[in-house]
PDB file of all heavy atoms in Angstrom:
ATOM      1  N   ASN A 497     -34.474  12.256 -44.983  1.00  0.00           N
ATOM      2  CA  ASN A 497     -35.714  11.652 -44.501  1.00  0.00           C
ATOM      3  C   ASN A 497     -36.696  12.803 -44.298  1.00  0.00           C
ATOM      4  O   ASN A 497     -36.593  13.540 -43.320  1.00  0.00           O
ATOM      5  CB  ASN A 497     -35.441  10.909 -43.190  1.00  0.00           C
ATOM      6  CG  ASN A 497     -36.717  10.356 -42.578  1.00  0.00           C
ATOM      7  OD1 ASN A 497     -37.777  10.365 -43.209  1.00  0.00           O
ATOM      8  ND2 ASN A 497     -36.620   9.873 -41.348  1.00  0.00           N
ATOM      9  N   LYS A 499     -39.762  12.706 -43.615  1.00  0.00           N
ATOM     10  CA  LYS A 499     -40.827  12.428 -42.622  1.00  0.00           C
ATOM     11  C   LYS A 499     -42.176  12.902 -43.183  1.00  0.00           C
ATOM     12  O   LYS A 499     -42.403  12.793 -44.385  1.00  0.00           O
ATOM     13  CB  LYS A 499     -40.482  13.065 -41.275  1.00  0.00           C
ATOM     14  CG  LYS A 499     -39.089  12.652 -40.820  1.00  0.00           C
ATOM     15  CD  LYS A 499     -38.777  12.955 -39.382  1.00  0.00           C
ATOM     16  CE  LYS A 499     -37.353  12.517 -39.076  1.00  0.00           C
ATOM     17  NZ  LYS A 499     -36.979  12.696 -37.681  1.00  0.00           N
ATOM     18  N   HIS A 586     -37.090   2.872 -38.522  1.00  0.00           N
ATOM     19  CA  HIS A 586     -36.794   4.214 -37.986  1.00  0.00           C
ATOM     20  C   HIS A 586     -37.301   4.303 -36.547  1.00  0.00           C
ATOM     21  O   HIS A 586     -38.333   3.717 -36.208  1.00  0.00           O
ATOM     22  CB  HIS A 586     -37.447   5.297 -38.852  1.00  0.00           C
ATOM     23  CG  HIS A 586     -36.990   6.666 -38.458  1.00  0.00           C
ATOM     24  ND1 HIS A 586     -37.553   7.353 -37.415  1.00  0.00           N
ATOM     25  CD2 HIS A 586     -35.999   7.448 -38.938  1.00  0.00           C
ATOM     26  CE1 HIS A 586     -36.925   8.512 -37.275  1.00  0.00           C
ATOM     27  NE2 HIS A 586     -35.975   8.593 -38.188  1.00  0.00           N
ATOM     28  N   GLU A 588     -38.863   6.477 -34.999  1.00  0.00           N
ATOM     29  CA  GLU A 588     -40.244   6.952 -34.838  1.00  0.00           C
ATOM     30  C   GLU A 588     -41.233   5.815 -35.105  1.00  0.00           C
ATOM     31  O   GLU A 588     -42.294   5.744 -34.491  1.00  0.00           O
ATOM     32  CB  GLU A 588     -40.489   8.170 -35.754  1.00  0.00           C
ATOM     33  CG  GLU A 588     -39.836   9.413 -35.161  1.00  0.00           C
ATOM     34  CD  GLU A 588     -39.332  10.425 -36.177  1.00  0.00           C
ATOM     35  OE1 GLU A 588     -39.772  10.400 -37.338  1.00  0.00           O
ATOM     36  OE2 GLU A 588     -38.451  11.236 -35.811  1.00  0.00           O
ATOM     37  N   GLU A 658     -28.714   5.767 -35.525  1.00  0.00           N
ATOM     38  CA  GLU A 658     -29.374   7.011 -35.124  1.00  0.00           C
ATOM     39  C   GLU A 658     -29.721   6.945 -33.636  1.00  0.00           C
ATOM     40  O   GLU A 658     -30.752   6.374 -33.265  1.00  0.00           O
ATOM     41  CB  GLU A 658     -30.673   7.205 -35.919  1.00  0.00           C
ATOM     42  CG  GLU A 658     -30.470   7.382 -37.408  1.00  0.00           C
ATOM     43  CD  GLU A 658     -31.640   8.128 -38.038  1.00  0.00           C
ATOM     44  OE1 GLU A 658     -32.781   7.702 -37.906  1.00  0.00           O
ATOM     45  OE2 GLU A 658     -31.389   9.178 -38.653  1.00  0.00           O
ATOM     46  N   ALA A 662     -30.669  11.832 -30.094  1.00  0.00           N
ATOM     47  CA  ALA A 662     -30.112  12.861 -30.984  1.00  0.00           C
ATOM     48  C   ALA A 662     -31.084  13.246 -32.106  1.00  0.00           C
ATOM     49  O   ALA A 662     -30.854  14.220 -32.817  1.00  0.00           O
ATOM     50  CB  ALA A 662     -28.801  12.356 -31.595  1.00  0.00           C
ATOM     51  N   ILE A 663     -32.166  12.484 -32.260  1.00  0.00           N
ATOM     52  CA  ILE A 663     -33.069  12.735 -33.388  1.00  0.00           C
ATOM     53  C   ILE A 663     -34.008  13.897 -33.098  1.00  0.00           C
ATOM     54  O   ILE A 663     -34.770  13.863 -32.132  1.00  0.00           O
ATOM     55  CB  ILE A 663     -33.890  11.467 -33.730  1.00  0.00           C
ATOM     56  CG1 ILE A 663     -32.950  10.347 -34.179  1.00  0.00           C
ATOM     57  CG2 ILE A 663     -34.932  11.768 -34.798  1.00  0.00           C
ATOM     58  CD1 ILE A 663     -33.633   9.044 -34.484  1.00  0.00           C
ATOM     59  N   GLY A 664     -33.901  14.925 -33.927  1.00  0.00           N
ATOM     60  CA  GLY A 664     -34.805  16.071 -33.809  1.00  0.00           C
ATOM     61  C   GLY A 664     -34.617  16.892 -32.544  1.00  0.00           C
ATOM     62  O   GLY A 664     -35.450  17.723 -32.209  1.00  0.00           O
ATOM     63  N   GLY A 703     -29.151  11.998 -36.749  1.00  0.00           N
ATOM     64  CA  GLY A 703     -29.535  12.612 -35.478  1.00  0.00           C
ATOM     65  C   GLY A 703     -29.035  14.036 -35.435  1.00  0.00           C
ATOM     66  O   GLY A 703     -27.861  14.274 -35.129  1.00  0.00           O
ATOM     67  N   SER A 704     -29.926  14.987 -35.803  1.00  0.00           N
ATOM     68  CA  SER A 704     -29.618  16.420 -35.738  1.00  0.00           C
ATOM     69  C   SER A 704     -28.379  16.828 -36.539  1.00  0.00           C
ATOM     70  O   SER A 704     -27.665  17.744 -36.138  1.00  0.00           O
ATOM     71  CB  SER A 704     -29.475  16.877 -34.281  1.00  0.00           C
ATOM     72  OG  SER A 704     -30.705  16.724 -33.604  1.00  0.00           O
ATOM     73  N   VAL A 705     -28.143  16.158 -37.654  1.00  0.00           N
ATOM     74  CA  VAL A 705     -27.019  16.573 -38.512  1.00  0.00           C
ATOM     75  C   VAL A 705     -27.396  17.866 -39.223  1.00  0.00           C
ATOM     76  O   VAL A 705     -28.533  18.037 -39.661  1.00  0.00           O
ATOM     77  CB  VAL A 705     -26.705  15.494 -39.586  1.00  0.00           C
ATOM     78  CG1 VAL A 705     -25.619  15.985 -40.533  1.00  0.00           C
ATOM     79  CG2 VAL A 705     -26.318  14.181 -38.927  1.00  0.00           C
ATOM     80  N   LEU A 723     -27.825  10.402 -42.444  1.00  0.00           N
ATOM     81  CA  LEU A 723     -29.277  10.370 -42.660  1.00  0.00           C
ATOM     82  C   LEU A 723     -29.824  11.615 -41.973  1.00  0.00           C
ATOM     83  O   LEU A 723     -29.640  11.805 -40.768  1.00  0.00           O
ATOM     84  CB  LEU A 723     -29.878   9.088 -42.069  1.00  0.00           C
ATOM     85  CG  LEU A 723     -31.404   8.938 -42.152  1.00  0.00           C
ATOM     86  CD1 LEU A 723     -31.911   9.049 -43.595  1.00  0.00           C
ATOM     87  CD2 LEU A 723     -31.841   7.586 -41.574  1.00  0.00           C
ATOM     88  N   ILE A 724     -30.471  12.454 -42.765  1.00  0.00           N
ATOM     89  CA  ILE A 724     -30.797  13.797 -42.283  1.00  0.00           C
ATOM     90  C   ILE A 724     -32.296  14.057 -42.338  1.00  0.00           C
ATOM     91  O   ILE A 724     -32.913  13.897 -43.398  1.00  0.00           O
ATOM     92  CB  ILE A 724     -30.049  14.840 -43.164  1.00  0.00           C
ATOM     93  CG1 ILE A 724     -28.542  14.559 -43.094  1.00  0.00           C
ATOM     94  CG2 ILE A 724     -30.331  16.260 -42.709  1.00  0.00           C
ATOM     95  CD1 ILE A 724     -27.879  14.658 -44.420  1.00  0.00           C
ATOM     96  N   GLY A 725     -32.858  14.473 -41.214  1.00  0.00           N
ATOM     97  CA  GLY A 725     -34.272  14.807 -41.167  1.00  0.00           C
ATOM     98  C   GLY A 725     -34.478  16.296 -41.398  1.00  0.00           C
ATOM     99  O   GLY A 725     -34.498  16.770 -42.531  1.00  0.00           O
ATOM    100  N   GLY A 726     -34.570  17.053 -40.314  1.00  0.00           N
ATOM    101  CA  GLY A 726     -34.881  18.482 -40.382  1.00  0.00           C
ATOM    102  C   GLY A 726     -34.087  19.268 -41.411  1.00  0.00           C
ATOM    103  O   GLY A 726     -34.660  20.018 -42.212  1.00  0.00           O
TER     104      GLY A 726
HETATM  105  P1  PGA B1448     -33.092  14.856 -37.600  1.00  0.00           P
HETATM  106  O1  PGA B1448     -33.779  13.444 -38.032  1.00  0.00           O
HETATM  107  O2  PGA B1448     -31.969  15.097 -38.571  1.00  0.00           O
HETATM  108  O3  PGA B1448     -34.203  15.854 -37.738  1.00  0.00           O
HETATM  109  O4  PGA B1448     -32.612  14.683 -36.208  1.00  0.00           O
HETATM  110  C1  PGA B1448     -32.999  12.350 -38.416  1.00  0.00           C
HETATM  111  C2  PGA B1448     -33.876  11.156 -38.643  1.00  0.00           C
HETATM  112  O5  PGA B1448     -34.870  11.010 -37.900  1.00  0.00           O
HETATM  113  O6  PGA B1448     -33.635  10.337 -39.533  1.00  0.00           O
END
Side-chain angles (χ1 to χ4, degrees):
N497 175 10
K499 307 194 181 183
H586 189 277
E588 284 148 20
E658 296 204 304
I663 297 178
S704 296
V705 175
L723 177 56
I724 302 137

